[in-house]
Amino acid sequence: MAPLGRAGHRGYSSKAAGLQLLIGLLVLSLFCEACKKVTFNLPSKLEARTLIGKVNLQQCLRTSDLISSSDPDFIVRADGSLFSANAISLSTDRNFTILLKDTQKHVQKKVPVILQSVQKKVPEKGETVLRRSKRRWAPVPTTIMENSLGPFPMQIQQLSSDTAQKYNITYSISGPGVDQPPMNFFYIERETGNLFVTCPIDREQFAEFKIICYARTSDGYTPELPLVHIIRVEDDNDCPPVFNPATCVFTVPENSRSGTIIGEMTATDGDEIDTLHTKLKYRIVSQDPVSVQFPKMFNVDGDTGVITLASPGLDREAVEQYVLLIEARDMGGQPFGLCTTGTAVIQLQDRNDYAPVCEKGLYEVHVLENTVGAKIIDIGAIDRDMPQTPAWHATFKIIKGNEDGAFRIETNPDSNIGTLCIDKGLDYEKTKERRLEIIVNNDEPYVLAPNSRAVSQGSCVVVVKVRDVDEGPVFDPCVYVLNIKECLPGGTVVGYYPARDPETGNSEDIRYGIGQDPCGWITMDERGEIRTARLLDRDAPNMQYYQCNVTVFATDRSGKTGTGVVVVNLEDENDNYPVIVEPAKIMCRDRKPICLTAVDADLPPNTVPFTFEIPDRNLEWRLVENDDRSVYLVPMDRIPDGDYTIPVRVTDSGGNSGITNVRVRVCDCTTPSDCIGGVPPRYNEPDVGPYQTPNVTLGLWAILAMILGSLLLLLILITICGCCGAAPVSKHVCDDLANQNLIISNTEAPGEEVMDPNILPVKTGNVVTSDQGVGLGVKTGGQECFEMVKGGGHQTMDTLEGGGIHTLQSVKGHHTLESGRGYGHPMMDTYRYSYSEWQNFTHPRLTEKVYLCGQDEEHKHSEDYVLSYNYEGRGSPAGSVGCCTDQQEEEVLDFLDQLEPKFRTLAETCVKR
């Protein structure tokens, strides 16, 4: 099937048409200019609707309205594509021309086309040849003009089947535009295959149609497959551009610079895209209002529709908005293109480019003196900026005349009115007139317009005239600070706080009094003199605060009253001298310096640094400086044990001094706790100042009570002695409390080898009694000894019988020897003598026993002797001491099994390994 345009039927009409075409080609050949020849190499046989190639028609003629082929077997499309209209057999080369015609410019050109046949290769024997099946009745798509004017029905194509040469073929079509919506747009003649359109078609509704073509015989046989034929509707510029929305509102700040983008106006076109029908151009048709200074205030981009500011002349106070009429035209803005218009409303946004000004430049007002909290006058502000915006709201400020803060301004944000108020009363006698300078500003900072001068600031002057009023006395100052030193006698004049009459300026005929005094420290007479009410001491127990506020008043002859406040501060005096806080000290055998610390009840600067000294230079003690509040007390030489009293004078930085008697007990001890017992009278009592013996007088009942108590005590002692004499002697071993000197050690193994036979364990002053022997510990002068006496009692220390010392045979149970000690020097000498004899008696025996504990029967060192220990507390197993047993029958040493664990420590220390 091949398109034949609008050719007539077969027969005579076909011959006539061919004759006319030959004549036309002859004429064109005479008057047309030939273009470059085009050659195609083709196979010898071509099927219908086969694409041969493409010819560059624009190279020959840029614009052409009419394109046709001199050979009806070939079809040329507008883009230069060349198709075969029928099945063609090219036995030889075939030539034809393509005619191009521009009817507007009256120009015609032709393109020579040469089709050369390529000889088919003869396949060899046995070679498979691929054959292409013949394509039948496939016409090119049909194009119709949109909104064509007819006449209708109008033929647009002719369908033809090659099988019509053999069969009687009838044609039919179906699909959209035929028997499907939209219906009845197309129909076909059954016998001829001519395709017709029945009405104009709008491309914006239906851009193309795909119909199905059928070829059948009379008996219903279909020699051809159904053909899908495309009918395209060629666009016509029938749709003008459209703005959506038609009106756009934009905002731009006033005083904006040139080139500021305001907004974009865009239009759409319903015609075919990427054609001149939809290529739009924009322009501003009109502007309302038109500025005389800047006639062209805005620009619009012709391609995008973006609106920009052309001139920097936007002033909201002059023009609040502009209305632009913008046109959009298709066909690239050509005059014959379709166009439409839209409206752009440009509203100006206010900026603070106008300063507020006061309604008046000068205000005058009268006010009574001492008036407080009253509204004096209203000051209005005028601003040309947009109301109720930060650029319009006014703020008032007093820049001069209000140094004392007596005035303030309250602003009403709705009306921009500032109200001048008074916060402090004015004194007519001091100032009869106040002149206030006030400026007015906006909340928002100023924005200067381009090429404009600086904004001038609005201001005004308010003159406040004070009117005199009769008033009461006035204290000057209103708050009087009075500093009083402590310990002043009551009635001492400490200040004078007068009041005066504001009218006369003097203090005559004015009476004074105290209105409120929570402390009761001062009094005030009628002349205004202030005295102390009593002696005021900061160190008094009832003194909780050192400052008090007292309200006083003054009354004139007319009865008017004025008040004032007296702030009383009680100042510290240097009435306390430093005192040593712990005057009772104990010094052990190490003679470690004693730290004396002093305190002072006064406040700086009457406190540290303290100065310490010993007034008596004959004492064997000296002071070593430590810091500004303490010293060390050190003996000058080796001093004997005993109690000492050292007067120490302590002076503060203010020169106030006092003597504290420091009592020191020098004791032969390791820790001060060993000397706590037997504290002498007044030892634990601090003694400050010179020592004085208290005057004590005993009454009759006291003497009688003492006698009765002594008798009762004697009776109790007799009873106890009787009971103890009848009781059998029990074996008792002191529990090792693990709190003696040999146990307090950081070494958990035997120390260095010691061979000194004089080393003895330290023991408290308890006497231990057992069946085999008696252990006696004597404590004297801070040194302690231990003695072991064999049982039987045939060895005694008769030298110890004097001075209240009991014999060892007479001792029963636990008794301390402290009861036999005295504090006089004769008794101390007796103890030293007893200690010496006891030591001479004990050392040989003890050394012998220690040596025997270290050897076995063959006089060798014992191998099972415990050489190390790591537990020295309560509960340590005494057990058997192994080799340390009695090896001879005449010497019974079984009592060694019951000795304390520290005896093993001594033996371990003294034995030579």
Side-chain angles (χ1 to χ4, degrees), residues 548-840:
C548 187
N549 296 337
V550 181
T551 303
V552 298
F553 64 87
T555 307
D556 60 8
R557 288 176 297 180
S558 61
K560 291 184 173 60
T561 303
T563 59
V565 177
V566 179
V567 180
V568 182
N569 294 321
L570 188 59
E571 296 182 341
D572 182 50
E573 281 290 309
N574 193 10
D575 55 344
N576 298 290
Y577 53 81
V579 178
I580 296 176
V581 292
E582 295 181 3
K585 300 291 183 178
I586 296 177
M587 180 176 287
C588 291
R589 67 165 65 97
D590 57 1
R591 299 300 187 264
K592 184 178 180 180
I594 298 173
C595 183
L596 302 179
T597 304
V599 295
D600 195 334
D602 294 323
L603 298 177
N606 298 322
T607 55
V608 293
F610 297 144
T611 303
F612 297 82
E613 62 176 345
I614 300 176
D616 190 355
R617 302 294 181 181
N618 298 324
L619 297 178
E620 297 180 353
W621 298 83
R622 62 187 177 92
L623 299 176
V624 179
E625 184 178 356
N626 180 28
D627 54 25
D628 57 357
R629 63 176 64 249
S630 64
V631 293
Y632 288 109
L633 180 64
V634 183
M636 292 185 179
D637 201 357
R638 187 71 180 181
I639 59 174
D641 297 347
D643 295 337
Y644 297 87
T645 301
I646 303 99
V648 179
R649 182 189 301 276
V650 187
T651 307
D652 60 19
S653 60
N656 195 0
S657 64
I659 296 178
T660 302
N661 288 331
V662 179
R663 291 184 174 86
V664 180
R665 168 165 289 180
V666 180
C667 183
D668 189 8
C669 59
T670 303
T671 60
S673 60
D674 296 337
C675 285
I676 293 300
V679 179
R682 296 180 55 85
Y683 184 75
N684 286 335
E685 299 177 5
D687 191 2
V688 180
Y691 179 78
Q692 297 179 358
T693 303
N695 186 13
V696 180
T697 302
L698 297 177
L700 178 61
W701 291 103
I703 296 174
L704 182 60
M706 292 175 62
I707 294 173
L708 293 177
S710 300
L711 294 176
L712 181 61
L713 179 61
L714 181 60
L715 180 61
I716 294 174
L717 290 176
I718 294 173
T719 305
I720 294 175
C721 290
C723 295
C724 294
V729 178
S730 61
K731 180 179 178 180
H732 182 79
V733 179
C734 289
D735 188 13
D736 183 14
L737 298 178
N739 59 356
Q740 304 305 323
N741 292 350
L742 287 178
I743 296 178
I744 303 175
S745 172
N746 291 331
T747 303
E748 298 183 359
E752 298 178 357
E753 185 176 63
V754 180
M755 297 302 297
D756 190 357
N758 297 324
I759 298 179
L760 291 176
V762 179
K763 186 71 176 65
T764 60
N766 293 338
V767 178
V768 182
T769 304
S770 64
D771 294 339
Q772 288 83 10
V774 180
L776 175 63
V778 180
K779 179 177 182 182
T780 172
Q783 297 180 354
E784 299 176 356
C785 304
F786 190 89
E787 177 188 6
M788 294 306 303
V789 183
K790 289 187 65 176
H794 43 255
Q795 292 183 1
T796 62
M797 291 180 62
D798 296 333
T799 58
L800 298 178
E801 292 178 357
I805 305 300
H806 302 284
T807 61
L808 295 178
Q809 294 177 353
S810 62
V811 175
K812 307 294 182 181
H814 293 272
H815 297 279
T816 62
L817 297 180
E818 299 293 340
S819 61
R821 297 181 58 180
Y823 292 97
H825 290 286
M827 188 62 67
M828 295 296 296
D829 294 339
T830 302
Y831 284 157
R832 293 191 182 94
Y833 179 76
S834 300
Y835 163 73
S836 178
E837 279 200 9
W838 178 77
Q839 185 179 20
N840 294 333

Side-chain angles (χ1 to χ4, degrees), residues 52 196 217 266 336 422 463 484 510-511 592 846 887:
I52 298 174
F196 294 88
T217 61
T266 57
F336 53 82
I422 183 168
V463 179
I484 302 177
I510 296 179
R511 293 170 300 172
K592 184 178 180 180
L846 185 60
Q887 303 294 329

Side-chain angles (χ1 to χ4, degrees), residues 35-36 38 40 53-61 79-81 98 100 111:
C35 295
K36 186 176 179 180
V38 179
F40 295 96
K54 191 172 183 179
V55 181
N56 190 354
L57 302 180
Q58 294 184 353
Q59 185 177 4
C60 182
L61 184 61
D79 59 349
S81 299
I98 299 175
L100 304 177
V111 180

Side-chain angles (χ1 to χ4, degrees), residues 851-865:
Y851 180 75
L852 291 176
C853 289
Q855 293 187 357
D856 57 8
E857 295 178 354
E858 297 178 359
H859 300 284
K860 296 181 181 180
H861 290 291
S862 178
E863 296 179 357
D864 62 341
Y865 190 75

